[in-house]
Amino acid sequence: MEEQTTPSATPFVLGIETSCDETAAAIVDGSGTIHANVVFSQIEDHAPYGGVVPEIAARAHLDHLQPVIARTLEEAGLSFADLDAVAATGGPGLIGGVMVGTMTAKAIAMARGIPYLAINHLEAHALTARLTDRVAFPYLLLLVSGGHCQLIAVEGLGRYRRLGTTIDDAVGEAFDKTAKLLGMGYPGGPALESAAANGDPQRFDLPRPMVGKPGCDFSFSGLKTAVRQKIEALGKATDQDIADIAACFQEAVAGSLVNRCRNAIALFNADHGTGHALVVAGGVAANQRLCGALSDLADASGMSFTAPPIALCTDNAAMVAWAGVERLQAGESDPLSFAPRPRWPLDPDAPKAAGAGVKA
Ligand code: KG4
Ligand code: ZN
């Protein structure tokens, strides 16, 4: 990190997000006003493959990033000359896309002579509740997306303590894979949630992964296998069967997440005392059933509950710009020699979770 000598009081920061399958740019100022927030989703490019294809994603970012930035400036009514800094996701993520966003941000920073910030994508999700709801440090964060499933004590800017992570699949990945088993398209999370709305959450007995086990780690691969077995046992599943399985799956995930969060709240409160916020972030936070269950848990635990609006929960660049604002206002920036990081844990000192395949 490099020291920034004269940060503007209300800097205008351009954010760039290219770590997965959204090509996004946004402009946020120091007061938290979002002047433009443009997201180009590549879903149609990846849908035929049932998941994100890294090579296709990287090429699509290359095609779309420049027009997305041009549209962002136009919607904000600003030009490159109005920018005080440029922040881009520097990892973790699919490296081809991260390189496209990083090089674009560096080029703008170099041409304009303004600071460049390499943003950790997880930090951007983690700080979103401060952009949307001004949540004060410290708070307990449940980060649930297609690539990540973590419980993190957010103690301050740059101070993150991981309390739990997944030992196999991320929860969004579990939604996507289960939706695929149920014959739904990609991404599966939203489709599974709407199918579940017409289903009976009591009909099938599915395991509640990790419930009753100590600690805050997650596991979803057993649940996915149980769903596969139910589908095979049904033979030809009707629409009602599918809706019922979707509802039971969603209920099992909610039960598991609530149980792991309850353990995390106990650990968090032991360090920070009671009365802080429980925050959920990442694409899976769009799920209303999960948010309802987490909100009830927060109520019962004497915590406030914050779930940012859906458009700021799924991948976007406003969260990247905001993380840039926070770091810039703390006097930070990064050198243009920053190298994109496919893995970039928020808490490098976190103990490893028990089990194989632990994600950063
Ligand atoms: O944060 P995000 O946009 O990208 C990653 O960084 O992964 O999260 C995308 C994930 C996908 O797995 C998607 O299926 C899931 O979030 N998702 C949902 C819902 N909306 C999106 N999962 C469950 N219910 C939803 N309504
Ligand atoms: Zn994300």
Side-chain angles (χ1 to χ4, degrees), residues 156-172:
L157 184 64
R159 290 172 40 219
Y160 311 102
R161 204 157 65 79
R162 196 180 76 190
L163 304 178
T165 187
T166 180
I167 62 174
D168 41 55
D169 292 346
V171 63

Side-chain angles (χ1 to χ4, degrees), residues 165-193:
T165 187
T166 180
I167 62 174
D168 41 55
D169 292 346
V171 63
E173 201 177 354
F175 267 95
D176 293 336
K177 288 178 177 174
T178 302
K180 201 170 176 181
L181 286 173
L182 293 172
M184 297 166 188
Y186 175 83
L192 196 147
E193 180 173 16

